[in-house]
């Protein structure tokens, strides 16, 4: 896999989790810019094994000329956390893009770690991997992997840039952070 984001933000871990994993103003705006539409989400719910999970469905807009312009997607997020203040958050997300070529062969695994650095700072790490459900022919596999990496890199670079803007707004905004 690859590490796409690894940076300290002047944003508390709680706030970072809220920005990325609730129906926040920030993530709504980000999805708007990325032309991710029709977003539906289940609430965070405890599953049989005691983990908090939620499922999102949406339609993504694709800029890769090899692929159709849109695809529906399903993202299942699992939150791992010991609880209590000063704790890290770890969210694993499995993303299935249903309408791209070879969609039945692969999915994307994203791991978000939000680690408190101090009361008002956290480190965000995003690790991603392209996973295979069945083994395609070698050339096809490298084709899928290459095209997935470029799309993922673009997405997470943009997310990092928007988070930096949010950080600037939050730290300028009167110091009540
Ligand atoms: C989520 C991974 C692959 C896919 C795309 C498909 C290539 C098809 C390969 C053919 C377009 C928001 C991506 C990048 C679309 C966007 C997905 C996003 C960024 C040519 C063989 C959507 C995170 C996420 C996960 C997987 C990404 C897709 O929150 O290349």
């Amino acid at each position: 896999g690859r590490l796409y984001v690894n940076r300290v933000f002047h944003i508390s871990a709680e706030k970072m989790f809220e920005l990325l994993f609730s129906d926040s103003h920030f993530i709504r705006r980000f999805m708007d810019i990325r032309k991710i539409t029709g977003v539906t989400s289940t609430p965070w719910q405890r599953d049989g094994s005691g983990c908090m999970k939620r499922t999102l469905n949406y339609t993504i807009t694709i800029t890769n000329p090899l692929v159709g312009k849109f695809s529906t997607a399903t993202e299942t997020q699992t939150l791992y956390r010991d609880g209590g203040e000063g704790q890290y958050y770890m969210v694993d997300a499995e993303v299935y893009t249903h309408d791209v070529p070879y969609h039945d062969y692969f999915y994307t695994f994203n791991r978000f770690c939000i680690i408190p650095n101090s009361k008002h700072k956290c480190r965000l790490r995003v690790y991603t991997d392209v996973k295979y459900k069945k083994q395609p022919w070698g050339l096809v596999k490298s084709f899928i992997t290459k095209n997935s990496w470029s799309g993922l890199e673009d997405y997470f670079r943009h997310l990092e840039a928007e988070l930096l803007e949010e950080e600037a707004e939050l730290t300028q905004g009167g110091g009540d952070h």
Side-chain angles (χ1 to χ4, degrees), residues 24-36 158 162 165-166 169:
S24 68
H25 197 73
F26 171 83
I27 202 72
R28 269 197 239 166
R29 202 182 136 252
F30 181 69
M31 286 177 147
D32 258 19
I33 306 173
R34 299 295 306 186
K35 298 198 175 72
I36 296 174
H158 189 184
E162 292 293 330
E165 278 202 18
E166 184 71 16
E169 272 170 43

Side-chain angles (χ1 to χ4, degrees), residues 36 58 60 62 64 66-67 75 95 97 100-102 106 108 110 143-144 147-148 151-152 155-156:
I36 296 174
Y58 44 78
I60 53 171
I62 300 168
N64 188 326
L66 298 172
V67 188
E75 174 163 355
V95 184
T97 42
V100 302
Y102 305 105
F106 76 101
T108 304
N110 299 326
F143 184 60
I144 295 171
N147 281 281
S148 297
L152 285 158
Y155 182 84
F156 285 115

Side-chain angles (χ1 to χ4, degrees), residues 27 30-31 34 36 56 58-68 71 73-75 77 93-97 99-103 106-110 112 128-130 132 140-156 159:
I27 202 72
F30 181 69
M31 286 177 147
R34 299 295 306 186
I36 296 174
L56 289 89
Y58 44 78
T59 300
I60 53 171
T61 304
I62 300 168
T63 49
N64 188 326
L66 298 172
V67 188
S71 175
T74 304
E75 174 163 355
Q77 299 177 341
E94 287 183 359
V95 184
Y96 289 81
T97 42
D99 309 308
V100 302
Y102 305 105
H103 60 89
F106 76 101
Y107 64 96
T108 304
F109 172 86
N110 299 326
F112 296 76
T128 87
D129 205 3
V130 181
Y132 287 88
V140 169
K141 189 173 177 176
S142 61
F143 184 60
I144 295 171
T145 306
K146 185 175 153 278
N147 281 281
S148 297
W149 283 142
S150 63
L152 285 158
E153 180 171 12
D154 180 59
Y155 182 84
F156 285 115
L159 182 66

Side-chain angles (χ1 to χ4, degrees), residues 8-9 11-14 86 115-123:
V8 174
F9 291 89
I11 297 174
S12 71
E14 287 72 24
I115 307 146
N117 212 320
S118 69
K119 213 168 174 203
H120 303 298
K121 284 187 191 173
C122 73
R123 175 178 294 277

